[in-house]
Amino acid sequence: MKGLAFAGAITGAAEAGYTEWGKLAGTSAGAITAMALAVGYDAAGLRKIFEELDLSRIADYGFGGEAAIPFNLAEHHGATEGVALHKWIEELIDQAPINQGLADADKVKTFGQLEEKTEAEKLQVIGTDLAHTRMVVFPGDVRFYLDPEGHPIKPEWFPIADAVRISAGFPYFFPPMKLRDGVTKKDGVLVDGGVVSAYPIFLFDTEEPKHPTWGFRLYSGKPPESPPYSEIGGFFWWVEMGEAILDTSMNAFDRFDEKLFGPRTIAIPTGDIETLDFDLTEAEKKELFEFGHQAAKEFFAKDPKGVNLLFGATPTQRT
């Protein structure tokens, strides 16, 4: 639900002159945002995507509504069926500017097709394989998994929608997806990439960067005087603690991140709005957008140089 903050930040970046993105990467809501930019949506299109999203549609509990949660947990290992989120992502890609006017057979659906129309490694998204305790960077890391015939999956054939659905699959709420590992021959349990890497800006770190890498980093609370607070107690304390652990792993901007990536990071507060808040008011939606918009405006107003502190390098070009 925090994707609207990204839309606001991308709008601020566009106002500063950043309207083309060479390569993109993201995790969770960031994966959806990166995917949308990669297939041609601009800042206005991104805002429209999140503003028009029917939140109740994504929370597909199935027959019986929320009463179906125990059944879904037992049957699907998630509170929802998870089908609606996947279908929504597929629709975003199908209706994307990059696919306008094309017959279905010619539309971009896989990472390979995207690279043919744009450039190599245009998009990367992060997932987590809980069963094999590892981070999975799509599309490259799918080579560790097998197709139905038992052959290693070719990254260029992997559907973009599948990777983004995995990256946005908040554990316990959305069912995990499965891919069979090539070594163990066991199914991986693939969930939200935020469990292992909520901020994958490191994917583009090089010793001699030609272009700046700008990162958009969500964090809970408002700087610096108003940290977020999550109530953990009562009969369902274990559920609340699980949600808090995951939310913290995805939305805590720690001192290491701030020190190492600060010169390239648009840090975006999200107040007390939770990742799985499906009942946002129009005022809250506007607030999220403005959080991102203001953060980006303030960042680019300082004329950042995009210094990569890991290598002590400054990009040779500013755009």
Side-chain angles (χ1 to χ4, degrees):
M1 297 304 98
K2 297 184 180 183
L4 264 168
F6 282 130
I10 296 297
T11 300
E15 292 169 354
Y18 292 94
T19 56
E20 281 189 44
W21 302 91
K23 296 184 179 184
L24 296 137
T27 299
S28 200
I32 297 173
T33 303
M35 176 272 291
L37 293 171
V39 295
Y41 291 98
D42 58 10
L46 194 62
R47 182 177 189 178
K48 185 177 180 181
I49 285 172
F50 286 109
E51 282 189 336
E52 295 184 353
L53 171 61
D54 181 357
L55 304 183
S56 61
R57 171 189 170 188
I58 299 302
D60 57 340
Y61 299 107
F63 182 75
E66 292 187 11
I69 290 177
F71 172 81
N72 289 334
L73 286 169
E75 183 71 16
H76 306 299
H77 296 173
T80 65
E81 295 179 352
V83 176
L85 175 62
H86 203 160
K87 186 176 180 180
W88 176 67
I89 294 169
E90 289 177 328
E91 290 174 355
L92 289 181
I93 297 171
D94 183 72
Q95 299 166 12
I98 201 171
N99 284 327
Q100 291 301 305
L102 298 179
D104 186 68
D106 298 324
K107 288 184 176 181
V108 167
K109 297 179 182 179
T110 68
F111 283 93
Q113 291 169 327
L114 177 62
E115 292 186 5
E116 285 179 7
K117 292 205 171 187
T118 53
E119 61 180 288
E121 294 185 346
K122 177 71 174 182
L123 174 67
Q124 297 179 82
V125 299
I126 305 295
T128 304
D129 186 343
L130 296 177
H132 295 94
T133 61
R134 66 181 173 219
M135 178 172 68
V136 182
V137 182
F138 293 96
D141 286 350
V142 296
R143 68 184 186 276
F144 298 125
Y145 298 92
L146 304 177
D147 64 19
E149 285 73 42
H151 304 298
I153 299 174
K154 293 186 177 182
E156 62 269 24
W157 291 356
F158 199 73
I160 297 169
D162 287 7
V164 176
R165 161 62 179 84
I166 288 168
S167 186
F170 197 96
Y172 295 115
F173 193 80
F174 295 111
M177 293 182 67
K178 296 179 180 180
L179 292 174
R180 187 170 295 274
D181 182 77
V183 176
T184 67
K185 303 299 189 293
K186 303 290 186 180
D187 283 341
V189 178
L190 293 145
V191 300
D192 200 316
V195 174
V196 289
S197 179
Y199 189 50
I201 193 172
F202 62 86
L203 290 174
F204 302 130
D205 283 351
T206 62
E207 295 185 19
E208 297 181 355
K210 294 181 180 180
H211 302 279
T213 303
W214 303 126
F216 300 84
R217 181 70 157 95
L218 303 180
Y219 69 96
S220 298
K222 300 178 183 179
E225 67 284 348
S226 181
Y229 176 75
S230 297
E231 185 72 38
I232 300 174
F235 183 76
F236 290 106
W237 68 267
W238 48 280
V239 175
E240 294 173 349
M241 180 173 287
E243 291 180 349
I245 289 171
L246 292 167
D247 234 1
T248 300
S249 71
M250 287 186 274
N251 297 298
F253 192 47
D254 61 37
R255 293 179 182 177
F256 177 80
D257 281 350
E258 188 173 8
K259 183 177 181 180
L260 188 59
F261 302 123
R264 296 182 288 155
T265 299
I266 296 90
I268 308 168
T270 56
D272 294 321
I273 295 173
E274 298 178 356
T275 302
L276 297 179
D277 189 346
F278 289 92
D279 297 311
L280 293 182
T281 65
E282 289 304 313
E284 288 173 325
K285 290 181 180 181
K286 183 176 180 181
E287 182 182 42
L288 267 179
F289 181 87
E290 287 304 324
F291 277 149
H293 190 205
Q294 190 60 35
K297 287 175 63 176
E298 292 176 0
F299 177 83
F300 289 112
K302 297 176 183 178
D303 191 26
K305 303 298 188 294
V307 178
N308 183 332
L309 294 181
L310 184 64
F311 295 107
T314 300
T316 55
Q317 301 179 43
R318 294 291 300 282
T319 59

